[in-house]
Amino acid sequence: MLSNLKRAFTAYTRTVVSFTSASFMGVLMYGLCVLAGVGIFLLYFMAISGFNKYAPEDPITIGVVIIIVFLLKLLTSGFNAALAQAYSDGFDGRNTKISDFYSKALRSAPSAFGIMIIRDIIWLMFLAPVIALYVFALKGVQYIEIIIAIYGIFITWLIHMLFTPALLTSALTNSGIFASLKQGFRILRSKHIYFAGAYILFAVSWLLNLIPIIQIGSIFVLFPITYATLITFIGRD
């Protein structure tokens, strides 16, 4: 793992502009995606309010929200793949143009989205029964909320870690859903401990992206380095 981290750090320091520009494009695209989702909902809200029929629990409103979330997840899946490719190009000192970033996102969105849907279904299979057990049987048990929170954090980290090699494989090799899953789990079988260690660093940097001020250093320094470290496990051995 340390050798992978060193290679990623060396690549980052050698071509800082390539990595930081990729991070900037990722932030820009994610931001535009969220704004587009909010804009669509506001248009729906204004249209439905004219008929005095808006209600949060209305089936139509729920349906619109589900569609918006579906589209956002599809687009962000593609952006995540494009970001991985841009960081991979950074190893070779290539700067990714924003038009290429957008084109890559559109091409990769279906496969990345399919893998993420499979991941989220499996995540729910592990999490939903525990939540149901808490709601119907374990409420009031001392420290149960803390235990469930710890379990939820761990299972989220584990499931996301297990599917990350497949997502990176799909992004970097343009392979289909099942071919990427197969290759991703093959990588985990041979490098599971090292990849898990690298993914812990990546998860920490991802969380730091959410903290104001600190996120500036994380998004443009820590995150690309830790993401690039994961990439070294996929196709740069």
Side-chain angles (χ1 to χ4, degrees):
M1 185 193 81
L2 292 178
S3 62
N4 296 84
L5 180 60
K6 182 179 179 181
R7 288 163 60 195
F9 180 77
T10 301
Y12 177 86
T13 54
R14 188 177 62 247
T15 56
V16 174
V17 174
S18 298
F19 283 92
T20 54
S21 62
S23 291
F24 176 77
M25 284 185 285
V27 172
L28 178 63
M29 290 298 181
Y30 282 118
L32 290 175
C33 193
V34 172
L35 288 175
V38 172
I40 293 172
F41 183 79
L42 287 177
L43 288 175
Y44 163 76
F45 175 77
M46 289 186 291
I48 203 71
S49 295
F51 298 98
N52 296 319
K53 290 184 177 181
Y54 173 77
E57 68 279 4
D58 185 81
I60 297 178
T61 299
I62 295 174
V64 170
V65 170
I66 291 174
I67 292 173
I68 292 174
V69 170
F70 178 89
L71 292 175
L72 288 179
K73 195 169 184 65
L74 176 63
L75 289 174
T76 54
S77 298
F79 293 149
N80 184 58
L83 187 60
Q85 183 63 63
Y87 285 152
S88 180
D89 289 343
F91 276 92
D92 301 318
R94 296 197 301 269
N95 294 325
T96 302
K97 297 179 181 178
I98 194 165
S99 57
D100 295 332
F101 189 98
Y102 183 71
S103 297
K104 171 66 177 178
L106 292 181
R107 291 195 307 272
S108 301
S111 293
F113 179 72
I115 294 171
M116 284 189 175
I117 289 296
I118 295 172
R119 180 196 68 187
D120 291 348
I121 290 173
I122 294 176
W123 174 71
L124 284 173
M125 289 172 60
F126 279 92
L127 197 61
V130 175
I131 294 176
L133 186 63
Y134 164 74
V135 171
F136 294 108
L138 297 179
K139 267 190 176 181
V141 175
Q142 192 174 21
Y143 304 124
I144 190 63
E145 289 85 1
I146 297 175
I147 294 172
I148 291 178
I150 293 173
Y151 171 80
I153 293 171
F154 172 74
I155 205 67
T156 299
W157 174 85
L158 179 63
I159 297 299
H160 280 67
M161 186 271 292
L162 292 176
F163 279 85
T164 294
L167 287 168
L168 291 176
T169 299
S170 174
L172 301 178
T173 66
N174 298 313
S175 54
I177 295 174
F178 295 106
S180 298
L181 287 170
K182 184 177 179 181
Q183 178 61 21
F185 289 123
R186 185 180 295 120
I187 291 169
L188 283 176
R189 279 203 307 270
S190 61
K191 307 172 184 177
H192 45 88
I193 296 177
Y194 303 111
F195 190 86
Y199 195 78
I200 290 174
L201 297 178
F202 170 77
V204 170
S205 69
W206 186 90
L207 290 173
L208 291 176
N209 288 347
L210 307 177
I211 303 176
I213 300 178
I214 293 177
Q215 63 188 190
I216 297 175
S218 178
I219 290 173
F220 295 103
V221 181
L222 295 178
F223 185 78
I225 291 174
T226 55
Y227 204 154
T229 301
L230 299 181
I231 290 172
T232 61
F233 287 91
I234 306 304
R236 292 187 169 271
D237 293 326

